Amino acid sequence: MSAPVASTSTAIPAFDASTLSQVNADLAEATPQEIIEWAVDHVPGLYQTTAFGLTGLAATSMVSTLSKRRKQPHLVPLIFLDTTYHFAETLDLAHAVERKYNAPLHIFAPMGVSNAREFEAKYGERLWDEDEDTYDYLVKVEPARRAYETLGVKAVITGRRRSQGADRAALQPVEVDSTGLVKVNPLCRWGFQDVKDYIDMAGVPYNPLLDQGYKSVGDWHSTVKPKDGEGERSGRWASNKTKTECGLHKDYFAMKRAFEKKQREADRAAADKARGDDEVGESSVDMSKAEAQEAKEDLTASFSDLRLGA
């Protein structure tokens, strides 16, 4: 069965700064359900990216209600990024939601691996500790970009809220990132209790870990229960209290360039070692030419990726 897509009959042609400002002004007092309905009717290529946290689950339920009211299949397909380190409870929940709402579920894992054992054989046993940015790129950023390319995604519904703080404190209902991807944040004005009340009222299935004291559930190796008085997402990255985002909502081009630069440096180090050079960097490669080539590759990649937002 082909995945449903949003109607394009009244699609907004482009989200330039002026249009975006007007859209957010129009949605300033809208309910989450109204924002979702607006997105379904006006934004083509609409999907929902979700790790099945409470806010994402509430949005999925609202999409289901709208779909039933219109007597249509679930209107916004789901994208789930399987890092290979999710709790078993999260994986079970993903499939329970797929069944309950008859929602198309697209799962994307890190390139070339299907489980944690294969990931660690390729990248090391504790990459999340040794190089967080590379880890985030491999398990979230690259799979997400691959999902967008594969599925033709132009816009996503997210589970971000202002009350989660940090970079999310000033969220608007609709944003556009550096790649041109439209991000719809229907529950941006709700607090944690608002979301939990909706979940309970609507009978939405949720992660049983929440009943054990967790509030934001990510990978098992980095998620802990928040302490009394700590913020909702404080337990998301146990070893890094300053971290607030996994990479999906950071500058994609910057993360891509940083990852590719590290890969090139690793390749050069391996080449140096194979030649028997004593120190990395003592190769016969003309570094000025190499750096020029890097810049050219970065620029080419950026233009290529920008086409995703066309």
Side-chain angles (χ1 to χ4, degrees), residues 6 13 74 110 169 171 181 183 189 215 222 251 265 270 275 293 303 308:
H74 195 85
L171 276 177
L181 182 72
K183 294 181 176 180
R189 289 189 293 272
K215 285 192 174 183
S222 303
D251 187 319
E265 290 171 350
R275 276 191 301 272
Q293 180 62 25
F303 279 118
L308 292 174

Side-chain angles (χ1 to χ4, degrees), residues 20-35:
L20 188 61
S21 178
Q22 184 59 55
V23 164
N24 282 319
D26 293 342
L27 297 175
E29 303 299 325
T31 65
Q33 292 90 336
E34 290 169 340
I35 294 172

Side-chain angles (χ1 to χ4, degrees), residues 48 50 52-61 93 97 199 204-207:
Q48 181 184 355
T50 181
F52 298 97
L54 282 185
T55 316
L57 291 165
T60 301
S61 171
L93 176 62
V97 169
I199 293 290
V204 181
Y206 62 88
N207 198 319

Side-chain angles (χ1 to χ4, degrees), residues 162-209:
R162 294 174 185 172
S163 63
Q164 291 168 326
D167 295 343
R168 304 182 176 197
L171 276 177
Q172 294 298 312
V174 183
E175 299 176 320
V176 181
D177 73 10
S178 61
T179 71
L181 182 72
V182 178
K183 294 181 176 180
V184 181
N185 312 304
L187 286 88
C188 63
R189 289 189 293 272
W190 276 20
F192 178 85
Q193 196 58 50
D194 296 317
V195 178
K196 187 62 167 65
D197 289 345
Y198 174 89
I199 293 290
D200 294 339
M201 177 274 297
V204 181
Y206 62 88
N207 198 319
L209 292 173

Side-chain angles (χ1 to χ4, degrees), residues 2-74:
S2 60
V5 296
S7 168
T8 59
S9 59
T10 57
I12 291 178
F15 280 90
D16 57 29
S18 176
T19 301
L20 188 61
S21 178
Q22 184 59 55
V23 164
N24 282 319
D26 293 342
L27 297 175
E29 303 299 325
T31 65
Q33 292 90 336
E34 290 169 340
I35 294 172
I36 287 172
E37 186 163 15
W38 172 87
V40 166
D41 287 338
H42 294 87
V43 185
L46 180 65
Y47 285 70
Q48 181 184 355
T49 54
T50 181
F52 298 97
L54 282 185
T55 316
L57 291 165
T60 301
S61 171
M62 292 173 184
V63 170
S64 177
T65 299
L66 174 63
S67 303
K68 290 176 181 177
R69 176 158 57 84
R70 295 186 175 188
K71 296 182 170 57
Q72 294 179 341
H74 195 85

Side-chain angles (χ1 to χ4, degrees), residues 35 44 65 80 88 106 122 124 135 137 149 170 176 182 196 234 261 303:
I35 294 172
T65 299
F80 175 57
H106 302 277
K122 192 170 184 179
Y135 177 78
Y137 182 84
E149 290 180 347
V176 181
V182 178
K196 187 62 167 65
S234 62
K261 182 178 180 181
F303 279 118

Side-chain angles (χ1 to χ4, degrees), residues 54 192 209-210 213-217 224-226 230-233:
L54 282 185
F192 178 85
L209 292 173
L210 298 181
Y214 294 90
K215 285 192 174 183
S216 182
V217 178
V224 298
K225 301 174 187 178
E230 287 187 328
E232 178 184 337
R233 286 169 64 82

